């Protein structure tokens, strides 16, 4: 079988490394060129960079015939050459937990799909070649197949979901002098981000521009930003857009219902999150009227909060749920007024275009004062933004009240203004108290974005994750820092067997490699364990170690696998990572 597949490539005698790599790809063998290059050189034996068909077979076996997979195959093969349907069913039941009973129809379908040798396939059996291809297929990934689709209940109110959210989406570098670029919006959207931020300012010739106000960041034309979002916001689901309306059919401009609007009802809709003048009824009464050039005033509260906690100041912005837009004018002097029994308020007069105000329906931006104020006065369609530092203090000192607040109101947490380098905070601490929008700088790689990307792999990568029941049910009392949570504790056992073709430089694959396994969730679930170091082997390191984790609240837990190379002088070097929700793991 093997010779029949490759002999045509060797009619001219020997082949070089480039053709070797292409031939491996033709055989559907995934391989890293750097590793192929090292193996090629090891087999070359001074033959001027060209190999024979037998030498290619040796390279093929080095890459494909992994000892740890041979051991598994031999455990279930009666003759160590072939797996019958019955043998494969036993493997699928005992190792992969795919079948609750020996289901030969599933075995037959796998053989039909992955067995490359026709004679073996006709006998409904599987060779080692087919077994390797099955083991390397997407069907054997750690991530559950059902989690790749939207499977959660999408008929819940919008505040019952974690929502993938970005901060200063237009920036692709730092917050002070870095460039603004449309790629910030495009890359965020293709990652499933559902809340984008636009800081919009007056530009030349009455053309609004987008940039980080009062800084030296570069500017984008507002209309090009909108065009990019139009193209990519629903790229997979809606190929047909209106060419005459810059917003297409998507911009929500009227009420669906007065209360508990569901996530599903808002499908394919863009919601504006912004300050709003008047009530929803007044907005509806103005529907269809000419509002061109009309503006209205509102009082912006600039008073420090009652609890004297730190408030991070940013330029006032206008959000579209999907988009956050800023455009403001303010009076020169603030004035003082009172608001009930809570505090003496300092306010400033601000102006807003009436047309923009009327686009704000279910996500009216309202300054967060206190949990008590929100319980008494906050309306169902009002949302809050809280700076990272203040949110952290509240999550530690008043977690019960914070969770009670996020059960009812959409709450956005954003990075503190001193993060000029566009660094990020750990989002997990705010997910633990139910914050729906934890906004991160998507352009900055690292642990926070690994957790963000891993969490939102779930539910089909839709950007919406239904919060656990204990973060939605107002009758329950959940404390993320408690010893026993409201979740369903599990014991997770992982046997870390081996790696293959870890990332290397083009100059060496002799790295000292190790793997770190981390769990992120409520504080008591945060734990880290690591393997021993495999010396001078990035091609096929074998650890064969078992780790056990007791996870109290798996509904909030993420697991992260990190591969590093050990260096005693410069410190360990990061090679790669994979993060996913614990409950999205296949057995």
């Amino acid at each position: 079988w093997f010779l029949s597949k490759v002999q045509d490539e060797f009619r001219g005698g020997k082949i070089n490394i480039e053709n070797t790599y292409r031939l491996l790809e033709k055989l559907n063998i995934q391989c890293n060129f750097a590793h192929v290059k090292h193996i090629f050189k090891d087999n070359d034996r001074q033959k001027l960079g060209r190999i024979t068909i037998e030498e290619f077979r040796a390279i093929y076996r080095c890459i494909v015939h992994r000892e740890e997979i041979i051991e598994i195959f031999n455990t279930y093969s009666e003759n160590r050459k072939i797996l019958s349907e019955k043998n494969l069913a036993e493997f699928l039941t005992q190792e992969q937990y795919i079948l609750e009973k020996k289901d030969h129809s599933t075995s037959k379908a796998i053989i039909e799909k992955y067995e490359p040798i026709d004679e073996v396939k006709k006998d409904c059996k599987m060779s080692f070649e087919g077994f390797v291809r099955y083991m390397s297929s997407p069907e054997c990934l750690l991530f559950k197949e059902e989690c790749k689709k939207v499977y959660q209940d999408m008929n819940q109110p919008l505040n019952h979901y974690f929502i993938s959210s970005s901060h200063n989406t237009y920036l692709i570098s730092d917050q002070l002098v870095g460039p603004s670029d449309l790629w910030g919006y495009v890359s965020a959207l293709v990652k499933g981000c559902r809340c984008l931020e636009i800081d919009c300012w007056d530009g030349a010739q009455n053309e609004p521009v987008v940039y980080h106000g009062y800084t030296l960041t570069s500017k984008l034309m507002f209309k090009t930003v909108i065009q990019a979002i139009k193209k990519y916001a629903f790229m997979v689901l809606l190929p047909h857009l209106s060419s005459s309306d810059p917003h297409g059919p998507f911009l929500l401009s009227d009420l669906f219902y007065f209360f508990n609007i569901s996530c599903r009802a808002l499908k394919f809709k863009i919601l504006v999150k912004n300050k709003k003048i008047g009530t929803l009824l007044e907005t509806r009464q103005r529907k269809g009227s000419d509002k061109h050039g009309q503006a209205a005033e509102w009082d912006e509260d600039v008073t420090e909060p009652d609890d004297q906690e730190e408030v991070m100041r940013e330029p006032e912005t206008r959000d579209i749920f999907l988009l956050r837009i800023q455009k403001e004018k303010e009076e020169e002097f603030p004035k003082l007024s009172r608001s009930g029994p809570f505090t003496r308020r300092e306010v400033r007069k601000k102006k807003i275009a009436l047309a923009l105000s009327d686009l704000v329906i279910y996500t009216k931006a309202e300054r967060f004062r206190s949990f008590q104020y929100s319980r008494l006065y906050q309306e169902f369609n009002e949302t809050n933004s809280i700076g990272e530092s203040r949110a952290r203090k509240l999550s530690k000192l008043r977690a019960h009240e914070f969770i009670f607040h996020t059960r009812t109101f959409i709450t956005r947490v954003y990075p503190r203004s001193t993060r000029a380098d566009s660094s990020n905070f750990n989002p997990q601490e705010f997910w633990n108290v139910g914050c729906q929008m934890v906004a991160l700088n998507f352009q900055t790689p690292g642990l926070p974005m690994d957790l963000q990307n891993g969490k939102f792999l779930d539910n089909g990568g839709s950007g919406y994750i239904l919060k656990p029941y204990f973060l939605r049910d107002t009758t329950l009392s959940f404390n993320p820092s408690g010893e026993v949570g409201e979740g369903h504790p599990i014991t997770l056992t992982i046997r870390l067997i081996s790696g293959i073709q870890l990332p290397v430089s083009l100059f060496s694959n002799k790295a000292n490699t190790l793997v770190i396994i981390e769990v992120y969730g409520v504080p008591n679930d945060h734990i880290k364990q690591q393997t021993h170091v495999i010396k001078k082997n990035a091609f096929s390191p074998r650890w064969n170690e078992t780790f056990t984790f007791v996870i109290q609240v798996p509904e909030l837990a993420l697991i992260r696998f990190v591969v590093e190379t050990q260096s005693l002088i410069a410190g360990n070097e990061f090679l790669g990572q994979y993060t996913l929700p614990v409950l999205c793991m296949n057995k």
Side-chain angles (χ1 to χ4, degrees):
W1 166 82
F2 179 81
L3 292 176
S4 70
K5 291 292 181 182
V6 303
Q7 60 188 3
D8 285 350
E9 305 291 331
F10 288 89
R11 285 183 176 176
K14 301 174 183 178
I15 62 173
N16 60 21
I17 185 171
E18 286 78 15
N19 288 333
T20 298
Y21 184 71
R22 282 195 289 270
L23 186 51
L24 288 167
E25 287 189 323
K26 183 179 177 181
L27 292 168
N28 295 318
I29 301 303
Q30 296 181 353
C31 47
N32 179 295
F33 185 78
H35 285 296
V36 173
K37 184 176 181 180
H38 285 289
I39 299 168
F40 185 93
K41 287 183 176 179
D42 289 342
N43 285 271
D44 196 358
R45 308 297 184 197
Q46 305 296 322
K47 293 184 176 64
L48 301 177
R50 299 173 71 81
I51 58 172
T52 65
I53 193 169
E54 285 302 320
E55 288 165 335
F56 175 77
R57 172 183 274 180
I59 291 175
Y60 174 87
R61 285 184 170 172
C62 185
I63 293 173
V64 177
H65 291 219
R66 298 166 58 185
E67 290 183 10
E68 62 272 33
I69 297 183
I70 292 174
E71 290 172 8
I72 298 170
F73 181 84
N74 288 343
T75 299
Y76 291 91
S77 172
E78 296 173 358
N79 59 6
R80 298 196 168 198
K81 294 181 180 179
I82 293 293
L83 287 177
S84 66
E85 283 186 47
K86 176 185 175 182
N87 299 150
L88 183 57
E90 289 175 351
F91 166 76
L92 296 174
T93 303
Q94 297 179 31
E95 301 286 352
Q96 301 297 81
Y97 296 91
I98 290 176
L99 310 178
E100 294 183 1
K101 57 183 180 180
K102 295 178 175 60
D103 182 352
H104 288 202
S105 63
T106 302
S107 301
K108 185 175 182 179
I110 290 174
I111 290 170
E112 185 67 29
K113 186 174 183 179
Y114 294 104
E115 177 53 52
I117 304 175
D118 291 336
E119 293 82 358
V120 178
K121 185 189 295 187
K122 287 176 184 177
D123 291 338
C124 286
K125 295 179 179 179
M126 178 171 269
S127 67
F128 180 73
E129 297 291 342
F131 188 69
V132 167
R133 283 159 175 75
Y134 169 66
M135 290 290 286
S136 303
S137 73
E139 292 187 42
C140 291
L141 290 178
L142 188 60
F143 193 76
K144 282 183 180 178
E145 186 69 27
E146 53 264 38
C147 295
K148 297 177 183 177
K149 303 174 183 177
V150 177
Y151 68 94
Q152 296 178 345
D153 179 7
M154 303 306 289
N155 293 307
Q156 299 276 342
L158 202 57
N159 54 291
H160 284 187
Y161 297 86
F162 294 120
I163 303 166
S164 179
S165 304
S166 62
H167 175 65
N168 289 348
T169 318
Y170 46 89
L171 292 178
I172 59 172
S173 184
D174 67 82
Q175 307 281 312
L176 299 179
V177 297
S180 303
D181 198 287
L182 291 178
W183 176 245
Y185 292 99
V186 174
S187 61
L189 285 169
V190 298
K191 290 176 183 175
C193 183
R194 294 292 92 190
C195 181
L196 308 181
E197 185 173 10
I198 302 177
D199 285 346
C200 184
W201 299 80
D202 290 334
Q205 298 178 337
N206 290 323
E207 285 281 357
V209 295
V210 175
Y211 82 111
H212 200 199
Y214 308 115
T215 70
L216 299 178
T217 56
S218 62
K219 297 177 175 64
L220 298 173
M221 298 298 293
F222 174 74
K223 62 183 179 183
T224 62
V225 170
I226 296 300
Q227 289 166 356
I229 292 169
K230 172 187 173 183
K231 181 176 181 179
Y232 289 96
F234 307 105
M235 178 177 60
V236 176
L237 300 173
L238 268 187
H240 305 295
L241 303 178
S242 165
S243 59
S244 58
D245 182 353
H247 303 298
F250 309 129
L251 196 57
L252 182 72
S253 58
D254 197 8
L255 282 166
F256 283 170
Y257 310 101
F258 259 101
F259 297 101
N260 289 337
I261 182 71
S262 73
C263 192
R264 186 178 300 280
L266 295 170
K267 191 175 183 180
F268 300 132
K269 293 298 180 184
I270 293 175
L271 280 67
V272 178
K273 180 174 178 289
N274 182 44
K275 296 293 184 182
K276 181 175 181 64
I277 303 299
T279 66
L280 289 172
L281 279 176
E282 290 170 341
T283 297
R284 171 160 276 192
Q285 290 169 357
R286 285 192 294 266
K287 187 172 177 61
S289 63
D290 182 11
K291 290 168 276 193
H292 182 72
Q294 296 184 48
E297 289 186 338
W298 90 92
D299 292 338
E300 183 196 33
D301 188 347
V302 294
T303 312
E304 291 299 309
D306 294 339
D307 52 19
Q308 296 301 307
E309 291 163 352
E310 179 183 4
V311 177
M312 304 311 300
R313 290 291 180 82
E314 284 191 329
E316 182 62 37
T317 54
R318 302 182 181 157
D319 282 30
I320 290 185
F321 182 65
L322 274 186
L323 308 181
R324 181 169 202 188
I325 305 176
Q326 170 193 320
K327 191 166 174 24
E328 66 172 86
K329 297 198 179 201
E330 61 184 74
E331 288 190 348
E332 187 174 355
F333 300 105
K335 71 175 184 178
L336 297 178
S337 67
R338 289 189 176 273
S339 175
F342 289 95
T343 183
R344 181 172 171 81
R345 294 175 58 216
E346 181 183 352
V347 299
R348 289 184 293 200
K349 285 288 186 182
K350 294 270 185 111
K351 284 188 177 182
I352 180 174
L354 199 58
L356 177 58
S357 172
D358 283 356
L359 288 176
V360 179
I361 308 296
Y362 295 110
T363 44
K364 176 184 177 182
E366 186 66 27
R367 181 176 180 270
F368 177 75
R369 294 174 175 83
S370 69
F371 294 133
Q372 183 184 8
Y373 183 93
S374 294
R375 284 196 300 273
L376 293 174
Y377 299 114
Q378 191 161 336
E379 299 290 338
F380 80 97
N381 65 323
E382 294 178 344
T383 68
N384 304 126
S385 288
I386 307 177
E388 163 198 348
S389 300
R390 187 182 184 198
R392 181 173 295 112
K393 186 178 291 186
L394 290 171
S395 68
K396 291 179 179 178
L397 300 179
R398 302 167 71 179
H400 285 294
E401 291 180 89
F402 209 151
I403 292 171
F404 188 86
H405 179 82
T406 58
R407 282 171 177 152
T408 307
F409 303 112
I410 293 177
T411 304
R412 176 179 178 268
V413 178
Y414 57 88
R416 63 175 184 263
S417 56
T418 54
R419 292 185 181 272
D421 58 351
S422 294
S423 60
N424 285 312
F425 52 79
N426 184 336
Q428 186 68 50
E429 58 184 318
F430 303 118
W431 291 328
N432 289 343
V433 292
C435 292
Q436 293 87 349
M437 296 180 177
V438 182
L440 298 181
N441 292 296
F442 270 48
Q443 74 271 32
T444 306
L447 170 64
M449 276 307 299
D450 292 344
L451 299 180
Q452 157 77 25
N453 293 333
K455 186 176 187 68
F456 287 98
L457 287 174
D458 197 6
N459 204 30
S462 63
Y464 297 92
I465 307 293
L466 186 64
K467 297 197 292 185
Y469 67 95
F470 49 79
L471 290 177
R472 293 182 275 126
D473 190 337
T474 55
T475 66
L476 297 177
S477 178
F478 172 69
N479 182 2
S481 297
E483 290 188 9
V484 180
E486 290 286 344
H488 300 91
I490 63 170
T491 299
L492 175 64
T493 302
I494 294 177
R495 180 183 168 204
L496 183 60
I497 301 173
S498 65
I500 186 69
Q501 301 186 67
L502 302 181
V504 295
S505 71
L506 292 174
F507 307 103
S508 173
N509 67 345
K510 303 297 184 182
N512 300 329
T513 56
L514 69 144
V515 178
I516 300 168
I517 305 177
E518 303 171 297
V519 175
Y520 289 87
V522 299
N524 285 337
D525 285 341
H526 182 52
I527 191 170
K528 178 189 294 188
Q529 299 189 50
Q530 75 175 52
T531 66
H532 64 283
V533 177
I534 301 295
K535 299 289 186 180
K536 298 183 178 180
N537 186 356
F539 174 67
S540 57
R542 295 186 67 184
W543 292 279
N544 205 25
E545 295 185 55
T546 300
F547 303 92
T548 300
F549 303 88
V550 178
I551 302 176
Q552 296 295 330
V553 190
E555 295 89 343
L556 287 170
L558 300 168
I559 189 163
R560 182 172 183 253
F561 300 87
V562 183
V563 186
E564 295 181 351
T565 59
Q566 185 187 58
S567 174
L568 299 178
I569 299 175
N572 289 3
E573 179 188 0
F574 172 85
L575 290 185
Q577 68 84 40
Y578 181 58
T579 303
L580 75 163
V582 165
L583 295 183
C584 290
M585 294 175 69
N586 272 319
K587 293 172 71 175

